């Protein structure tokens, strides 16, 4: 199959590891030029090294998505390196489980700041650049990473669930706000994905007494809640991420696609 993303200049947040890194590498294989941005800049540099050794084009940028100035700088770095910005993937996210009655203001603020505010800032700063480039040069695409927890909530991760419901609201509201600028807003919602985020979550869930031993959160959710009876890996999301950046999805906006093995069916 031919490359799907030729001519696309893309900024991906939280791309030093996990799904963000996998999406960055696949986008580059599909012909995109990729700005790999994350708090962890040495991780970004490793991803860029892998992209370049596979023949792709990429740059590494240090980014805290909660800082508007840093997001603006990441957009500018992408434009300086590649000439324009066509696609942004707002992927950076964190989680820290607490049982419902134990949720603190600090826990709430920390998660909402990165997962909700960080996505809003990412959308706004990317959109300003896209608008400045002119709608005749679109379509432009904003892709936000939601979750199964954009559509339901688990009792041990309520602030995270709220933040991912906020991501869905920003997909819907952003699509309406930006359609006249030839910008679409869509997203994908993974289920249980074996990344460093879930490895840490798995340990934290044992620490708060939700599961007995490490590995249980992934194995039990797979057995009890995932129709396909297996959890996923970053490679399971890359096809949908490519589709949402490619011309195939041009007549689509305001949508959140679940990639969860059949966990949430709405
Ligand atoms: P991960 O922890 O492997 O990677 C997340 C990356 O985001 C890290 O490199 C981290 O440094 C970066 N990051 C964190 N805070 C940041 C900030 N303030 N600014 C910039 N970068 C920051 O996680 P992952 O599992 O690959 O998750 C990627 C996305 O997918 C997240 O939005 C997450 O909520 C979502 N998600 C994950 C799962 C899962 O099961 N792992 C399921 C559904 C949704």
């Amino acid at each position: 199959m031919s490359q799907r993303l030729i001519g696309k200049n893309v900024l991906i947040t939280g791309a030093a590891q996990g799904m963000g890194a996998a999406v960055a590498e696949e986008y580059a294989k599909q012909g995109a030029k990729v700005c790999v941005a994350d708090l962890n800049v040495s991780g970004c540099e490793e991803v860029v090294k892998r992209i370049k050794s596979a023949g792709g084009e990429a740059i590494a940028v240090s980014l805290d998505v909660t800082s508007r100035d840093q997001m603006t700088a990441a957009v500018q770095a992408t434009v300086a390196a590649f000439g324009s910005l066509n696609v942004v993937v707002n992927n950076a996210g964190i989680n820290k489980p607490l049982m419902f009655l134990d949720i603190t203001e600090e826990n709430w603020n920390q998660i909402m700041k990165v997962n909700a505010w960080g996505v809003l800032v990412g959308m706004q700063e990317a959109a300003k650049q896209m608008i400045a480039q002119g709608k005749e040069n679109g379509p432009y695409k904003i892709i936000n990473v939601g979750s199964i927890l954009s559509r339901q909530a688990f009792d041990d991760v309520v602030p995270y669930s709220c933040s991912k419901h906020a991501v869905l609201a920003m997909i819907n509201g952003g699509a309406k706000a930006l359609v006249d600028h030839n910008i679409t807003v869509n997203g994908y919602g993974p289920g249980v994905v074996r990344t460093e985020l879930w490895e840490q979550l798995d340990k934290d869930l044992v620490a708060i007494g939700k599961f007995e031993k490490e590995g249980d959160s992934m194995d039990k959710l797979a057995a009890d809640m995932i129709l396909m009876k297996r959890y996923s890996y970053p490679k399971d999301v890359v096809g949908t991420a490519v589709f949402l950046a490619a011309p195939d999805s041009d007549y689509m906006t305001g949508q959140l696609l679940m990639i969860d093995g059949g966990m949430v069916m709405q």
Side-chain angles (χ1 to χ4, degrees), residues 13-20 37-40 63-66 90-94 114-115 145-148 160 164 189-198:
T13 72
Q17 64 182 38
M19 282 182 270
D38 201 292
L39 283 176
N40 170 9
L63 169 68
D64 179 346
V65 293
T66 67
N90 291 305
N91 163 80
I94 59 169
V114 177
N115 297 9
V145 179
S147 166
I148 46 164
Y160 181 87
K164 292 298 184 180
V192 179
V193 194
R194 190 153 195 162
T195 62
E196 287 183 40
L197 182 147
W198 200 292

Side-chain angles (χ1 to χ4, degrees), residues 95-154:
N95 198 359
K96 188 77 188 169
L98 282 176
M99 296 313 289
F100 187 75
L101 294 178
D102 298 328
I103 295 165
T104 60
E105 187 174 355
E106 187 197 6
N107 176 257
W108 172 272
N109 286 342
Q110 200 182 12
I111 291 167
M112 292 300 281
K113 188 91 192 256
V114 177
N115 297 9
W117 172 249
V119 168
L120 178 68
V121 168
M123 294 175 74
Q124 289 176 319
E125 295 312 304
K128 285 178 199 166
Q129 174 61 33
M130 292 164 174
I131 291 166
Q133 288 168 201
K135 63 178 167 188
E136 64 285 4
N137 294 314
Y140 305 102
K141 288 164 185 267
I142 294 177
I143 302 169
N144 292 342
V145 179
S147 166
I148 46 164
L149 297 177
S150 296
R151 296 232 166 93
Q152 60 184 34
F154 290 166

Side-chain angles (χ1 to χ4, degrees), residues 2-266:
S2 61
Q3 288 176 303
R4 308 295 310 139
L5 302 179
I6 288 174
K8 304 280 187 190
N9 301 328
V10 185
L11 167 59
I12 307 181
T13 72
Q17 64 182 38
M19 282 182 270
V23 169
E25 289 180 58
E26 184 60 26
Y27 275 18
K29 271 190 205 140
Q30 295 291 332
K33 295 176 185 171
V34 186
C35 176
V36 180
D38 201 292
L39 283 176
N40 170 9
V41 74
S42 61
C44 293
E45 280 157 4
E46 288 303 312
V47 174
V48 167
K49 220 183 274 174
R50 291 202 295 273
I51 288 175
K52 286 186 171 165
S53 64
E57 210 172 312
I59 57 166
V61 165
S62 168
L63 169 68
D64 179 346
V65 293
T66 67
S67 156
R68 187 178 293 281
D69 287 350
Q70 290 189 31
M71 189 66 204
T72 310
V75 168
Q76 284 168 354
T78 310
V79 174
F82 308 139
S84 65
L85 177 71
N86 307 104
V87 178
V88 66
V89 183
N90 291 305
N91 163 80
I94 59 169
N95 198 359
K96 188 77 188 169
L98 282 176
M99 296 313 289
F100 187 75
L101 294 178
D102 298 328
I103 295 165
T104 60
E105 187 174 355
E106 187 197 6
N107 176 257
W108 172 272
N109 286 342
Q110 200 182 12
I111 291 167
M112 292 300 281
K113 188 91 192 256
V114 177
N115 297 9
W117 172 249
V119 168
L120 178 68
V121 168
M123 294 175 74
Q124 289 176 319
E125 295 312 304
K128 285 178 199 166
Q129 174 61 33
M130 292 164 174
I131 291 166
Q133 288 168 201
K135 63 178 167 188
E136 64 285 4
N137 294 314
Y140 305 102
K141 288 164 185 267
I142 294 177
I143 302 169
N144 292 342
V145 179
S147 166
I148 46 164
L149 297 177
S150 296
R151 296 232 166 93
Q152 60 184 34
F154 290 166
D155 61 354
D156 46 12
V157 285
V158 167
Y160 181 87
S161 306
C162 292
S163 74
K164 292 298 184 180
H165 276 68
V167 169
L168 174 58
M170 289 186 277
I171 290 170
N172 292 176
K176 291 168 189 163
L178 299 170
V179 67
D180 289 344
H181 299 288
N182 203 6
I183 300 171
T184 65
V185 185
N186 293 294
Y188 53 92
V192 179
V193 194
R194 190 153 195 162
T195 62
E196 287 183 40
L197 182 147
W198 200 292
E199 302 277 0
Q200 185 57 49
L201 181 64
D202 184 64
K203 290 189 180 73
D204 292 341
L205 288 169
V206 173
I208 65 170
K210 183 75 184 180
F211 288 98
E212 262 174 41
K213 59 176 196 321
E214 286 179 22
D216 275 2
S217 68
M218 285 180 248
D219 293 340
K220 291 204 159 118
L221 286 174
D224 299 342
M225 295 185 69
I226 301 177
L227 207 60
M228 292 185 183
K229 300 288 178 221
R230 70 165 178 92
Y231 54 77
S232 60
Y233 292 92
K235 66 179 171 48
D236 291 303
V237 308
V238 296
T240 305
V242 169
F243 165 71
L244 289 176
D248 311 63
S249 60
D250 279 357
Y251 189 63
M252 194 179 139
T253 195
Q255 306 302 317
L256 176 65
L257 301 179
M258 289 298 147
I259 319 167
D260 62 357
M263 262 180 115
V264 172
M265 298 198 189
Q266 54 171 321

